[in-house]
Amino acid sequence: MKHFLLNAMAVADLGSGIVERRPIPEEALRSENPALLSELFPGAVVIAAGSLTGSFAPASGLVTVYADGKKSFLTGHTGRALRLCGLDALVIAGKADAPLALLLNEKEGTLRPADSSLDVPAARRALIRAARAAFPSYADADPLPLVTGPAAFRGCRSSCLACETGTAPRSADSALAFAARNLAGIAFCGNAGFASPVPLDDPLRAAVPAQRVSKASLAALLNAAGGCSRADAVTPGRSLACHACPAPCGFWMSLGSAFVPCTSPEALAVLLNTGASEKRAAEILALGERFGVDAAALALLVEAAPLPETLEDCLSAASALPGEQRDADIDASAEEYGICAFFLRRFPAASAALRARREAGGN
């Protein structure tokens, strides 16, 4: 099975305002190495799917972002959305003179003016409106937004991208790369079908039993995210799953009459370890999502009363992200297959099933 399932990519030149669909360059196609695209397009941001991204494989929503010599992972449903646009990769070249939104479907792409000062919820709504206006025949579709957020445009080293729901943990390098090029966000509107390289009865799908986040399972989840002795302080609500994930790590948290998405177990563990109550942790998660700041960098606000209401005050309270331990082998598998690295760390059986698949010649 080949890495580039669709042999297609889009190249968006922010400087010229041109978006083109092209075949994958022959060198990358032969190598089956998506990282080579960043070498073939120096200075560009490259978003690339793994060989199983968007398929029936478990937790296969991941894409890898290559930017300015750094690499980060995005999960959620972005990978599936990229493939539904008929693409294996997206190359973002050049720099715009003013903030732009990139809008894509399975046929074309376009760039439209955007307001980088909007908070994340407003920016999501603006991206969706712009996509529906740009592609009138898709007016009944549900575009998937990926938002840069105002914190990145202010150069915050703890900024993060915001997915369709919640934030993308540890995505500061990607967010800053988007902002440096004046890309305010992307809306994916594709509806192209493609054959999954993993069938429904593949043994890989049975490697991890389906499970939701519960009061009983939260301690193990937070321990896998960095360790937490206060998991009993939180009662998780309905689970939030990334594409095809049988064992979600995200969930909704109650905040008064509303609910807040927790899409970063690491950030929740950091906040609880700092002494946050469930209510205060939910408030800080909501604040981080509002401005596009990784909540793991907002632990100084645990004792703050009241919480900041402005971007400036939020940025003043943001610290550097805490250090993390990575497993190079797991990260390499995540990049190659497009399967969530945190999922592979939590469930060694999934990694073993991937190895078995490779040994059996299934890539």
Side-chain angles (χ1 to χ4, degrees):
M1 182 186 68
K2 61 184 181 180
H3 187 99
F4 298 102
L5 299 181
L6 308 173
N7 188 18
M9 67 180 190
V11 179
D13 189 320
L14 302 180
S16 68
I18 296 173
V19 183
E20 297 179 315
R21 296 178 68 94
R22 305 179 188 174
I24 298 293
E26 188 62 33
E27 303 96 309
L29 206 60
R30 287 197 307 268
S31 72
E32 297 192 353
N33 177 14
L36 184 59
L37 290 173
S38 62
E39 298 177 21
L40 296 175
F41 294 90
V45 174
V46 175
I47 302 174
S51 61
L52 303 181
T53 295
S55 72
F56 293 146
S60 59
L62 181 142
V63 291
T64 304
V65 182
Y66 306 91
D68 302 327
K70 299 174 182 177
K71 178 173 63 180
S72 53
F73 297 138
L74 301 181
T75 51
H77 294 265
T78 302
R80 174 73 173 175
L82 179 71
R83 280 264 155 84
L84 289 177
C85 286
L87 300 171
D88 297 309
L90 171 61
V91 176
I92 301 163
K95 177 182 178 180
D97 293 331
L100 295 175
L102 172 59
L103 315 173
L104 295 165
N105 64 21
E106 71 269 26
K107 299 176 182 178
E108 60 183 316
T110 186
L111 291 159
R112 297 294 169 87
D115 184 350
S116 62
S117 68
L118 295 176
D119 65 22
V120 167
R124 282 195 186 105
R125 294 191 294 270
L127 272 173
I128 291 171
R129 286 195 303 271
R132 288 175 173 161
F135 309 126
S137 62
Y138 292 73
D140 59 347
D142 192 13
L144 185 137
L146 182 65
V147 178
T148 306
F153 280 93
R154 295 290 295 273
C156 176
R157 293 301 309 171
S158 304
S159 60
C160 61
L161 294 174
C163 301
E164 72 281 358
T165 303
T167 57
R170 297 281 176 175
S171 59
D173 291 333
S174 300
L176 289 168
F178 279 27
R181 292 158 176 81
N182 263 330
L183 180 64
I186 306 171
F188 300 90
C189 308
N191 196 30
F194 65 95
S196 170
V198 175
L200 285 170
D201 60 352
D202 192 286
L204 177 60
R205 287 175 51 82
V208 177
Q211 56 186 273
R212 63 182 179 86
V213 184
S214 66
K215 187 81 172 177
S217 68
L218 186 58
L221 173 60
L222 295 183
N223 282 334
C228 180
S229 60
R230 297 186 58 244
D232 59 351
V234 172
T235 300
R238 182 167 52 91
S239 296
L240 269 170
C242 297
H243 170 70
C245 184
C249 65
F251 56 92
W252 292 94
M253 295 180 67
S254 177
L255 184 57
S257 60
F259 295 89
V260 174
C262 176
T263 53
S264 175
E266 178 197 16
L268 180 60
V270 168
L271 296 174
L272 293 176
N273 285 337
T274 311
S277 65
E278 180 174 16
K279 179 175 182 292
R280 179 43 60 102
E283 290 173 340
I284 293 175
L285 287 168
L287 179 68
E289 182 179 14
R290 177 184 173 191
F291 293 124
V293 178
D294 196 314
L298 297 176
L300 293 176
L301 294 175
V302 166
E303 301 294 336
L307 287 177
E309 295 185 1
T310 67
L311 172 63
E312 289 72 19
D313 288 343
C314 181
L315 296 183
S316 296
S319 61
L321 285 169
E324 62 170 344
Q325 292 185 337
R326 306 292 306 191
D327 185 310
D329 290 337
I330 286 179
D331 283 357
S333 291
E335 180 180 3
E336 177 180 356
Y337 292 106
I339 293 180
C340 173
F342 186 48
F343 178 84
L344 294 175
R345 288 203 302 273
R346 290 170 63 203
F347 301 109
S351 293
L354 276 177
R355 288 195 296 272
R357 181 181 178 82
R358 181 199 293 272
E359 291 165 3
N363 193 19

